[in-house]
């Protein structure tokens, strides 16, 4: 029986956890990846775009990679070399890109995919939400073509870049605000769930032992990503971005709540915070499926299963 495929756009700033999210997405027969779009965040736009093209080569993804916005809509760019290194994806050697960069911008590419698709398209946005915000501003007529925006960003309880704000949302709060006020369904994998999506060294040794080129690369991404996280006291790697992929296909292993959410744009201490109306105090209708928990062991098992699918893969390094 053939699986009905769901058209998706992968938008991100790879980044180790973006890269692992894309490995998951590429392994899943439920997804039809229509395009990859990049956004400045973990590193500069040029660096994350080069990384995206190398990841596409590793995964043999025959899709266009389109470069998005180099700076947030209204803020100065913040980058995260402490987690992801100078290249934005330090660690294992990767194949060189197989295809040239798209001649379209990320926003043009997203618009084209939405216009041409007969079905609604899912956008998985695992970096600052800049491209999606710009798309919503410039192409409001395409909103109804978006099935859901599945984001890694924000959280209800706490931040990781400031006490209140998570990195992706802090980088571009206005873009996040545009999403929550667009009327398009948003699924939020914030820190509530992603800081429970911990992958321990013994878990990624299971991946390394698979001994295929993608699995080995994933294990080495973990080796690098864990360096700074361990300095911060984490006992494993918090695998943020893959939650935005897996929660679409396996919602049964996640705890998902309907909340009204907005983004703080101005607070002295709280700019970039995603504020969820957990008790329904505002009377506003829920505009967000907030993912707040998961079954960690099943999450890890799905990740290992995904990496195992690259058995016999050939990569030219
Ligand atoms: C988010 O910030 C980035 O460093 C990661 O790729 C993830 O998207 C976590 O706060
Ligand atoms: Ca990311």
């Amino acid at each position: 029986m053939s699986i009905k495929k769901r058209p998706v756009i992968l938008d991100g700033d790879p980044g180790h956890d973006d890269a692992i999210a894309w490995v998951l997405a590429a392994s899943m027969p439920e997804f039809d990846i229509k395009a990859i779009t990049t956004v400045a965040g973990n590193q500069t736009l040029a660096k994350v775009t080069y990384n995206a093209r190398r990841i596409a080569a590793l995964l043999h993804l025959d899709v266009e990679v389109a470069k998005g916005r180099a700076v947030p809509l209204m803020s100065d760019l913040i980058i995260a070399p402490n987690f992801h290194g100078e290249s934005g994806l330090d660690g294992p050697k990767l194949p060189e890109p197989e295809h040239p960069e798209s001649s379209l911008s990320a926003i043009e590419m997203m618009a084209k995919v939405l216009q041409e698709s007969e079905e609604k398209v899912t956008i998985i946005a695992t970096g600052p939400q800049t491209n999606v915000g710009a798309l919503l501003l410039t192409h409001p007529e395409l909103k109804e073509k978006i099935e859901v925006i599945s984001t890694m960003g924000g959280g209800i309880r706490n931040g990781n870049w400031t006490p209140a704000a998570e990195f992706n949302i802090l980088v571009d709060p206005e873009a996040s605000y545009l999403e929550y006020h667009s009327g398009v369904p948003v699924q939020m994998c914030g820190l509530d769930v992603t800081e429970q999506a911990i992958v321990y060294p013994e878990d990624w040794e299971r991946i390394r032992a698979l001994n295929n080129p993608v699995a080995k690369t994933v294990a080495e991404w973990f080796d690098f990503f864990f360096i700074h996280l361990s300095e911060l006291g984490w006992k494993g790697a918090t695998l943020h971005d893959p939650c935005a992929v897996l929660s679409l296909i396996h919602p049964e292993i996640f705890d998902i709540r309907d909340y009204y959410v907005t983004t703080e744009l101005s607070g002295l201490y709280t700019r970039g915070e995603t504020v969820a109306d957990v008790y329904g105090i505002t009377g506003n209708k829920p505009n967000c499926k907030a993912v707040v928990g998961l079954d960690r062991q099943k999450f890890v098992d799905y990740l290992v299963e995904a990496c195992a699918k690259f058995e016999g893969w050939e990569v030219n390094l």
Side-chain angles (χ1 to χ4, degrees):
M1 199 183 72
S2 71
I3 292 181
K4 182 155 166 30
K5 286 188 178 280
R6 162 181 197 154
V8 295
I9 297 171
L10 302 177
D11 178 71
D13 59 340
H16 296 75
D17 52 337
D18 302 78
I20 297 171
W22 294 359
V23 170
L24 259 179
S27 77
M28 290 179 160
E30 293 89 346
F31 287 133
D32 177 9
I33 301 171
K34 294 290 187 190
I36 291 177
T37 54
T38 61
V39 63
N42 285 325
Q43 260 296 355
T44 61
L45 184 64
K47 290 184 181 180
V48 300
T49 304
Y50 176 54
N51 294 341
R53 293 170 60 220
R54 292 189 300 157
I55 297 164
L58 173 74
L59 300 174
H60 303 171
L61 284 175
D62 195 14
V63 297
E64 289 203 67
V65 177
K67 198 159 76 180
R69 293 204 32 121
V71 286
L73 297 182
M74 293 175 71
S75 314
D76 293 333
L77 179 63
I78 305 168
I79 57 172
N82 45 348
F83 284 97
H84 302 278
E86 267 317 303
S87 71
L89 192 53
D90 278 12
K93 187 166 165 24
L94 294 173
E96 284 306 309
E98 282 170 355
H99 302 295
E101 219 172 87
S102 173
S103 58
L104 300 181
S105 72
I107 318 301
E108 289 166 340
M109 176 62 76
M110 286 174 160
K112 179 171 179 279
V113 170
L114 293 171
Q115 278 153 356
E116 289 177 356
S117 180
E118 281 171 15
E119 292 161 61
K120 291 191 178 194
V121 176
T122 295
I123 300 178
I124 303 176
T126 55
Q129 306 296 294
T130 314
N131 289 337
V132 187
L135 174 78
L136 294 169
L137 274 179
T138 51
H139 288 284
E141 78 286 358
L142 292 175
K143 281 181 194 175
E144 62 191 31
K145 298 292 295 282
I146 305 174
E147 175 81 35
V148 60
I149 303 165
S150 183
T151 70
M152 188 285 136
I156 292 170
R157 246 184 15 230
N158 59 285
N160 61 0
W161 219 261
T162 71
E166 179 279 329
F167 177 77
N168 287 340
I169 307 303
L170 181 71
V171 174
D172 199 335
E174 282 75 17
S176 166
Y177 183 93
L178 286 165
E179 287 176 345
Y180 285 116
H181 294 271
S182 67
V184 175
V186 179
Q187 179 149 306
M188 172 180 80
C189 286
L191 296 173
D192 314 286
V193 62
T194 68
E195 289 188 340
Q196 296 176 49
I198 301 177
V199 180
Y200 294 108
E202 60 267 30
D203 298 320
W204 71 79
E205 289 312 325
R206 281 175 67 196
I207 294 176
R208 201 187 317 270
L210 293 168
N211 206 24
N212 72 57
V214 175
K216 279 198 278 185
T217 304
V218 168
E220 289 174 32
W221 279 331
F222 274 117
D223 292 338
F224 184 87
F225 193 39
F226 186 50
I227 295 172
H228 187 56
L229 283 163
S230 65
E231 286 163 5
L232 296 174
W234 290 94
K235 300 284 178 249
T238 42
L239 207 53
H240 307 282
D241 295 338
C243 293
V245 173
L246 205 59
S247 60
L248 292 170
I249 301 298
H250 288 293
E252 73 285 355
I253 72 160
F254 292 87
D255 178 358
I256 305 179
R257 317 268 176 100
D258 288 307
Y259 292 142
Y260 173 78
V261 173
T262 189
T263 310
E264 173 65 84
L265 298 180
S266 59
L268 177 58
Y269 301 110
T270 53
R271 179 169 157 79
E273 178 175 7
T274 45
V275 181
D277 186 4
V278 172
Y279 295 119
I281 294 164
T282 63
N284 292 320
K285 280 213 318 241
N287 59 352
C288 174
K289 291 209 170 294
V291 185
V292 297
L294 87 171
D295 179 329
R296 192 202 78 88
Q297 191 56 55
K298 290 204 172 111
F299 174 82
V300 170
D301 290 345
Y302 278 128
L303 187 63
V304 176
E305 198 181 289
C307 292
K309 290 193 187 155
F310 296 90
E311 174 84 56
W313 211 248
E314 295 201 356
V315 176
N316 292 327
L317 286 175

